[in-house]
Amino acid sequence: MSHVRQIARNPVSFRHALAVQQGLLDADLHVARRPNDPALAKRAFQQFLPEVPDTSVIELETSNGLWRVWVTGGTAECQDDAFFTKAADGRLVSVPSPRAELCWTSWRDLETVGGQTALVRFDGTNHPLEGMDVEIRPWTRGWQPPCRISLRYADRFRLSEAFCAHGTACRSSAALAMKLARALARDEHGHSLQSTAQVPPSLLRANADRLKTLQSQISDYGDGAAFPTFGRKANTEFPDYSYPTKTILVQVDGQLVAARVGIGGVGWRAIGDYLVVLYRLGSPKLEPVASYVVKRDVVGLQSATASIPASRRARN
């Protein structure tokens, strides 16, 4: 934990989950040995993961007599793994596996922690704060109760790009765009996004049908036109929305418009900047009037907590 706080003094080291993992590895965790043994890998895969589709990439790692075989597959980069030991007669003996869903921002590895074998799981988080949960489960002739570290980062939202139709000034709604991006980040499901816009309930009720019509024109499967730039080129790395997005009613300079709020990415992978588009209400076709790119920067460590099983605290 002291090392985590130390590397937090440099906010750049907390910009990505992988940087946090690397910081931990450099200090206390060391990846287990990964032998190149295709025959053993294939044998273990067929014996312990028979339900998993065959793959050309089967990986092994081992530490102090414990082995792990795993494969990574699918667009969500999901891991399927199994654990085993080798008997004196050459048999591969199954070891019960701690249950886990390991996809996208969740993964695990065999590591050594202070010379002791452990299974270390990393889970990245995005809402309401970006962060990383780390579970360290020691192995001593069986799995021991895990220790856990939970990291959450402080963040800052800033407008990086603005685009407007017909030379309309973007300045009046720029602050609103950042406010909406932050609200979406804090609430993964967007349930409180409309309340953030502070539109009077009477206006929401009176324009519910107009909003519904506009929402029906918006597809979550954009083709690049989903984020309009009015003839200019966006610098953001992912100018297409990932899905799903949220479309709500907002007020700009006393006028009621619709705002679509989401995150740039590929398909369901929300890996880019926050994207906000404002649309005119009541038009027969979808008519954007302004769009914004909002960056979410990690600026430091907000909290770092640890939990240690009572049995281990007693020993220490």
Side-chain angles (χ1 to χ4, degrees), residues 129-234:
L129 293 171
E130 292 189 353
M132 175 68 69
D133 293 327
V134 184
E135 180 185 270
I136 303 173
R137 185 181 295 273
W139 165 267
T140 309
R141 296 186 297 276
W143 298 114
Q144 306 302 315
C147 302
R148 293 184 174 90
I149 300 172
S150 182
L151 310 173
R152 294 296 180 267
Y153 319 144
D155 56 19
R156 176 184 60 203
F157 293 83
R158 59 183 175 89
L159 187 71
S160 65
E161 297 181 81
F163 308 90
C164 291
H166 313 303
T168 305
C170 293
R171 195 172 302 169
S172 59
S173 47
L176 174 63
M178 289 189 287
K179 184 178 179 181
L180 293 175
R182 186 180 188 279
L184 184 66
R186 295 293 182 260
D187 180 7
E188 181 175 7
H189 303 291
H191 297 318
S192 64
L193 191 60
Q194 182 65 75
S195 63
T196 301
Q198 297 182 331
V199 177
S202 58
L203 273 180
L204 294 179
R205 290 192 296 269
N207 291 275
D209 289 341
R210 297 171 73 189
L211 176 62
K212 188 174 181 180
T213 298
L214 186 141
Q215 287 172 330
S216 69
Q217 297 175 288
I218 295 176
S219 170
D220 276 335
Y221 300 85
D223 59 0
F227 184 72
T229 56
F230 310 102
R232 295 168 54 195
K233 179 177 174 57

Side-chain angles (χ1 to χ4, degrees), residues 230-244:
F230 310 102
R232 295 168 54 195
K233 179 177 174 57
N235 292 321
T236 184
E237 185 176 2
F238 298 97
D240 285 348
Y241 278 106
S242 60
Y243 52 83

